[in-house]
Amino acid sequence: LAVAGLSTLAAQMTRYDPRAVTVTGSGATTFVLITGMVGGIAGSRRLAALLAESNRVVVIDPYQLAIDSADVTFVALARYVDMVLGQLGIDSARVAGHAHGAGTALRLAAQAPNRVSALYFLDGAAVEENATSNVSSSLKWASIIVKLPGGRGFVRGRFIRGLRQNSGHKEWLDSTTARAYTEIVLGQLPKAAAMAKRLARAREPEPALTMVGRLRTPVAVLLGDIPHPSQVDSSEVAVLEPLGDRLRVERLPGVGHFLHEEMPAEVAA
């Protein structure tokens, strides 16, 4: 079943579902942006557009890739990303992961070091597990509420409120962006809720510290410096300390969890 699942996934990726993989720009340097659980491909469009002015940019949503997959550990998501990069013929890319996307990026660099020349964690760090019991519960209730009169608007409003609570600069969250962030979830709620359950049960085969020990690349951690509900746990940054002078931690003033949306030019730089 596992082999059959990977074969099906490979066939799906060959078609490059635009909800899961986009490729823009050209240049000698390739940037790979790995999304977190929130925002998907749309959440990287500002940063991708800036980087694509002089680079090749590949944006991958590993959660969309694995929407029907049984194994949704970070290790598995990294394998899916590695498969995409192999199909695109990409090696030695600069890889950035946002939030839980940092967990996938870490495993990718540890498992396929030839793919990664540098790592950037955007308001993320050495995330231990994909476990998301709160997300699973929220999506379960959302699946019920959207069936009620006015339910869809209620769920969208709660979702947008969460985005605002996690932001410092809120100008980025215009109506177009808010719709892009919410519709990717509302458009496939049953699948998203089912996946959230699998994420809540997912357990990594090895701890993050073991993965860090396999890294051979420099790592830059960019954090939003204002307090926000989804901020990185200090213990997840501490796990990276064995990297020594290959680790750089920088805090961006006035921004929250979505620093690549709130200050895209600074993050690109």
Side-chain angles (χ1 to χ4, degrees), residues 52-266:
E53 291 176 359
S54 56
N55 306 283
R56 187 186 192 191
V57 180
V58 180
V59 184
I60 301 176
D61 180 352
Y63 296 95
Q64 187 64 47
L65 282 179
I67 193 70
D68 295 314
S69 300
D71 189 352
V72 291
T73 60
F74 283 129
V75 167
L77 297 185
R79 286 200 305 268
Y80 305 154
V81 171
D82 181 47
M83 193 180 299
V84 172
L85 298 182
Q87 290 180 353
L88 292 172
I90 293 174
D91 288 315
S92 300
R94 295 176 178 267
V95 177
H98 174 240
H100 274 67
T104 302
L106 170 61
R107 274 72 176 184
L108 174 68
Q111 296 174 171
N114 61 301
R115 300 284 190 212
V116 184
S117 62
L119 275 175
Y120 306 87
F121 296 157
L122 310 180
D123 215 54
V127 190
E128 279 290 350
E129 293 187 334
N130 240 329
T132 55
S133 56
N134 288 339
V135 172
S136 179
S137 177
S138 297
L139 287 174
K140 175 184 176 181
W141 283 110
S143 299
I144 297 172
I145 293 171
V146 293
K147 298 175 183 178
L148 303 175
R152 193 177 183 88
F154 176 81
V155 171
R156 180 182 288 110
R158 292 295 295 269
F159 195 103
I160 293 172
R161 187 174 75 176
L163 297 177
R164 292 188 182 279
Q165 289 174 339
N166 274 285
S167 302
H169 301 168
K170 297 177 173 58
E171 298 82 2
W172 69 276
L173 195 57
D174 54 31
S175 58
T176 300
T177 303
R179 180 165 292 276
Y181 269 69
T182 55
E183 285 306 313
I184 192 171
V185 177
L186 291 173
Q188 50 183 350
L189 255 182
K191 284 191 174 186
M195 184 180 190
K197 290 181 181 179
R198 300 195 299 276
L199 289 170
R201 297 191 298 264
R203 295 295 179 269
E204 297 300 319
E206 296 181 287
L209 183 60
T210 300
M211 295 294 175
V212 171
R214 296 175 187 164
L215 294 183
R216 298 295 179 266
T217 63
V219 177
V221 179
L222 279 64
L223 303 173
D225 78 336
I226 67 163
H228 51 283
S230 297
Q231 66 189 36
V232 176
D233 191 302
S234 60
S235 65
E236 295 175 353
V237 178
V239 172
L240 298 169
E241 291 178 355
L243 294 173
D245 59 7
R246 285 187 289 134
L247 173 66
R248 176 169 61 91
V249 180
E250 183 175 343
R251 295 184 178 275
L252 275 64
V255 300
H257 185 58
F258 300 97
L259 64 174
H260 59 302
E261 292 274 49
E262 301 174 54
M263 299 180 71
E266 288 78 359

Side-chain angles (χ1 to χ4, degrees), residues 39-53:
I41 295 293
S44 296
R45 62 185 176 85
R46 290 184 173 93
L47 179 59
L50 289 170
L51 293 173
E53 291 176 359

